[in-house]
Amino acid sequence: NAGVTQTPKFQVLKTGQSMTLQCAQDMNHEYMSWYRQDPGMGLRLIHYSVGAGITDQGEVPNGYNVSRSTTEDFPLRLLSAAPSQTSVYFCASSYQTGFRANVLTFGAGSRLTVL
Amino acid sequence: AQSVTQLDSHVSVSEGTPVLLRCNYSSSYSPSLFWYVQHPNKGLQLLLKYTSAATLVKGINGFEAEFKKSETSFHLTKPSAHMSDAAEYFCVVSSPGGKLIFGQGTELSVKP
């Protein structure tokens, strides 16, 4: 089925470790983004991309790195994990990037715990 | 700047009774507004969207929302709650360039 695929679904890290959350979509969407979800705070944008080779920072980019070498893939890298990065991470994509157009398709989420 | 406030963090209704989830927004531009639903341990799914056409917007599963510019509101309603409606609901405003600003979420509980 077409959609957004995130891996892994669950991950436990120790403080200081690094890891990559993978995100892939097969809908030829130009726009891809990463959010983190924390209780009582809604979803906050970490990084986003409007096309291959183009990335930009969102609300809470510190401690995270992204790249977009292909239209399909948008991995999120945690450089040195901290307990404050314990969260549920969602990848989302959309076909259009304009002001009025952004209906997002979400992945199922990746739950990360940093000890 | 754009912002969105969901006025209730938790709403509890009985099955078969109406649902009202409240959302106020702030926007320097004519906004696009969305409601997304998140069922437990799932990703978010679009319920409905407003993009300056009809002010009453119908969505999936019997939900609808009315855009009221004078009140800067975009409340979500459903005439009769079903057990399967229990979920978290997010009101979202689109900023220039397409970034989405999410509200804090409202958890809807439905009692039998």
Side-chain angles (χ1 to χ4, degrees):
Chain A
N1 289 339
V4 178
T5 302
Q6 290 183 233
T7 56
K9 292 191 185 310
F10 301 95
Q11 183 72 50
V12 179
L13 290 178
K14 294 181 180 177
T15 297
Q17 287 184 317
S18 62
M19 77 156 299
T20 299
L21 299 177
Q22 301 290 347
C23 176
Q25 52 89 12
D26 58 3
M27 298 171 285
N28 201 32
H29 283 176
E30 288 297 322
Y31 180 87
M32 296 186 74
S33 56
W34 277 101
Y35 289 86
R36 59 177 290 172
Q37 182 180 25
D38 302 291
M41 302 187 75
L43 274 73
R44 293 181 292 169
L45 182 64
I46 304 171
H47 285 286
Y48 67 100
S49 168
V50 298
I54 307 169
T55 63
D56 204 350
Q57 297 181 347
E59 262 181 280
V60 288
N62 292 341
Y64 306 96
N65 201 3
V66 292
S67 59
R68 184 94 179 270
S69 56
T70 67
T71 300
E72 294 78 19
D73 300 298
F74 191 46
L76 178 72
R77 297 181 185 86
L78 279 71
L79 308 173
S80 177
S84 61
Q85 294 178 302
T86 293
S87 188
V88 181
Y89 292 85
F90 288 97
C91 181
S93 70
S94 75
Y95 178 66
Q96 294 167 297
T97 62
F99 174 46
R100 293 188 175 282
N102 253 359
V103 175
L104 292 174
T105 299
F106 282 84
S110 298
R111 185 176 295 274
L112 175 66
T113 301
V114 183
L115 304 175
Chain B
Q2 280 67 36
S3 67
V4 61
T5 302
Q6 293 183 241
L7 299 171
D8 306 290
S9 59
H10 186 258
V11 170
S12 181
V13 301
S14 297
E15 191 173 21
T17 64
V19 175
L20 170 64
L21 305 183
R22 298 182 295 164
C23 173
N24 286 352
Y25 70 90
S26 172
S27 178
S28 307
Y29 300 83
S30 182
S32 292
L33 294 157
F34 310 79
W35 277 98
Y36 282 81
V37 61
Q38 182 183 29
H39 288 95
N41 300 312
K42 302 285 188 184
L44 281 73
Q45 178 186 16
L46 180 71
L47 265 183
L48 50 80
K49 67 175 180 178
Y50 166 78
T51 56
S52 78
T55 56
L56 183 62
V57 182
K58 294 189 184 299
I60 60 172
N61 299 333
F63 284 94
E64 63 183 34
E66 186 171 8
F67 173 73
K68 292 187 176 180
K69 186 175 180 179
S70 61
E71 299 176 11
T72 61
S73 70
F74 191 57
H75 300 335
L76 182 70
T77 60
K78 183 174 181 178
S80 177
H82 191 272
M83 296 296 292
S84 61
D85 295 327
E88 189 154 21
Y89 292 79
F90 293 94
C91 183
V92 183
V93 63
S94 178
S95 69
K99 291 184 195 178
L100 299 186
I101 310 298
F102 283 75
Q104 300 90 332
T106 298
E107 184 179 352
L108 176 65
S109 300
V110 182
K111 298 175 290 186

